[in-house]
Amino acid sequence: MIPAATPSAQPADWRRAFREAYRDPVALLRALDLESLAARLPPDAAGFPLRVPRGFVARMRRGDPRDPLLRQVLPLDEELRPRPGFVDDAVGDLDRIAAPGLIHKYAGRALLVATGSCAVHCRYCFRRHFPYAEANAAGAGWRESVAAIAADPALGEVILSGGDPLSLATPKLVELTDQLRGISHVRRLRIHTRLPVVLPERVDPELLAWLSGLPWPVVVVIHANHAQEIDATVDAGLAALAGAGARLLNQTVLLRGVNDDVDALVGLSERLFDAGVMPYYLHQLDRVRGAAHFEVPDRRARALVRDVRGRLPGYLVPKLVREVAGEAAKRPLA
Ligand SMILES: *Cc1c(COP(=O)(O)O)cnc(C)c1O
Ligand code: SF4
């Protein structure tokens, strides 16, 4: 008999890490020695299943129910408490769909909802109730959304978003960018992704070859909320993305109990800079149903940013913004 190859003999495959994410909240709590929290899990994960890659869990502190990474992903019964003003489509995206999966809200740039899939499910996510099955661009073979981009010469920037666009297989991304290559008014490609942080295995040679072969300047906007999310594996992936020519920015959501203190925000900016990433936005929470317990009042948010500005060079201070349905850009708050 020929012995099967041992898994360790094969190259690391990001899809396996993606599939092997925790989905059972009780198993996650057990891994962290936090079984006592099981009593606070909402039935059916409040309609938004838990999902968190094992590598991200490895960066959490065992036995700490207030760990800032755990808080971002663990469903809690607080999510079921209704709060006025917290709704399903918090940012008015559903009114701005220009073609299947294409959201055109701001001048010059359109956001392509490439897929509904994410490697991690963030409890505060404003897309937790988004009807992805009907509204994602890959499902329609990209054709209609690419046609809408081609028909609007003012669209100089295409933003791949989701869900997480890097949860698509690389050949799928190649298929999209091959179609975009023919559009002469596209001058920049932007990718909004949390994968380099939560699943750094995704930054593999195939992805890097795709990126470095693109005809446009590429901006990759990652999403980290706390310095503890960035470890050596994340550093390596980010360095590889920069090596492939991507400019790296970060967006953060201001979250109560995660990063709503000056030391956490300063520490994050410092850590991002060390990883070669410039802070971009600090978002006030979108008021989505189930996320009210993460909200930080505007007054406190402004005070935090003022204190951060007192401690860091201006280029390490992210812009505090809120997304307001119907406005021409994100609204600056500080
Ligand atoms: C945030 C966002 C953008 C990008 O806005 P920038 O200010 O350029 O970062 C574009 N489209 C949509 C729908 C957005 O929500
Ligand atoms: S879209 Fe971004 S914030 Fe929302 S669940 Fe996916 S990774 Fe998290």
Side-chain angles (χ1 to χ4, degrees):
M1 234 173 78
I2 301 162
T6 57
S8 59
Q10 294 166 352
D13 180 350
W14 70 271
R15 278 157 299 204
R16 172 153 22 112
F18 194 101
R19 275 194 310 272
E20 288 176 351
Y22 281 98
R23 293 167 203 227
D24 174 4
V26 176
L28 171 65
L29 291 176
R30 206 178 297 127
L32 294 167
D33 292 332
L34 286 169
E35 287 95 331
S36 58
L37 283 183
R40 291 182 56 197
L41 295 170
D44 188 32
F48 186 47
L50 171 120
R51 174 167 203 119
V52 52
R54 285 168 191 268
F56 194 72
V57 173
R59 294 171 230 158
M60 297 176 183
R61 290 187 296 261
R62 291 170 73 101
D64 182 359
R66 300 158 73 92
D67 179 85
L69 279 53
L70 177 64
R71 268 189 76 90
Q72 296 178 49
V73 300
L74 184 69
L76 289 176
D77 45 16
E78 277 124 295
E79 294 180 21
L80 297 175
R81 221 174 291 148
R83 270 269 290 273
F86 283 76
V87 299
D88 281 7
D89 181 21
V91 295
D93 275 0
L94 296 182
D95 299 335
R96 308 306 290 263
I97 294 178
L102 190 72
I103 303 178
H104 187 187
K105 276 209 313 210
Y106 302 143
R109 55 228 196 265
L111 189 146
L112 200 64
V113 178
T115 170
S117 173
C118 288
V120 64
H121 286 176
C122 313
R123 306 313 299 175
Y124 53 84
C125 181
F126 74 100
R127 295 200 197 278
R128 62 185 283 173
H129 311 290
F130 196 79
Y132 283 115
E134 304 110 75
N136 79 77
W142 308 113
R143 240 162 281 285
E144 287 182 71
S145 41
V146 170
I149 294 165
D152 186 349
L155 285 180
E157 178 167 335
V158 176
I159 304 173
L160 306 188
S161 183
D164 198 309
L166 297 191
S167 59
L168 291 173
T170 307
K172 205 77 196 149
L173 297 168
V174 171
E175 190 185 288
L176 169 66
T177 48
D178 280 352
Q179 293 186 39
L180 291 175
R181 273 172 199 267
I183 306 176
S184 58
H185 54 262
V186 172
R187 3 171 358 153
R188 277 189 302 278
L189 185 75
R190 194 196 313 185
I191 303 170
H192 282 180
T193 176
R194 209 169 181 206
L195 268 126
V197 174
V198 301
L199 199 99
E201 298 90 329
R202 178 65 185 97
V203 185
D204 64 1
E206 194 187 23
L207 183 80
L208 295 167
W210 170 64
L211 274 180
S212 47
L214 293 174
W216 317 280
V218 175
V219 180
V220 173
V221 184
I222 63 163
H223 172 178
N225 299 315
H226 195 283
Q228 195 184 314
E229 291 171 44
I230 305 171
D231 68 0
T233 62
V234 177
D235 280 320
L238 294 170
L241 290 172
R247 277 174 250 196
L248 302 176
L249 303 174
N250 178 65
Q251 48 186 346
T252 298
V253 181
L254 184 59
L255 299 165
R256 186 148 72 88
V258 173
N259 57 14
D260 61 335
D261 69 82
V262 182
D263 287 341
L265 293 172
V266 168
L268 174 60
S269 276
E270 296 273 23
R271 188 65 185 83
L272 286 166
F273 184 79
D274 291 344
V277 183
M278 298 304 285
Y280 180 35
Y281 279 141
L282 177 62
H283 291 272
Q284 265 295 42
L285 183 80
D286 296 313
R287 307 192 90 199
V288 65
R289 179 164 59 84
H293 57 291
F294 284 117
E295 193 171 53
V296 177
D298 280 356
R299 211 158 54 91
R300 167 124 181 91
R302 289 195 183 94
L304 280 167
V305 171
R306 193 189 54 226
D307 292 348
V308 170
R309 197 173 285 121
R311 285 183 43 187
L312 288 177
Y315 59 84
L316 290 186
V317 182
K319 296 183 240 257
L320 177 67
V321 292
R322 175 189 291 289
E323 175 107 20
V324 182
E327 292 204 351
K330 295 182 204 304
R331 179 190 287 177
L333 293 182

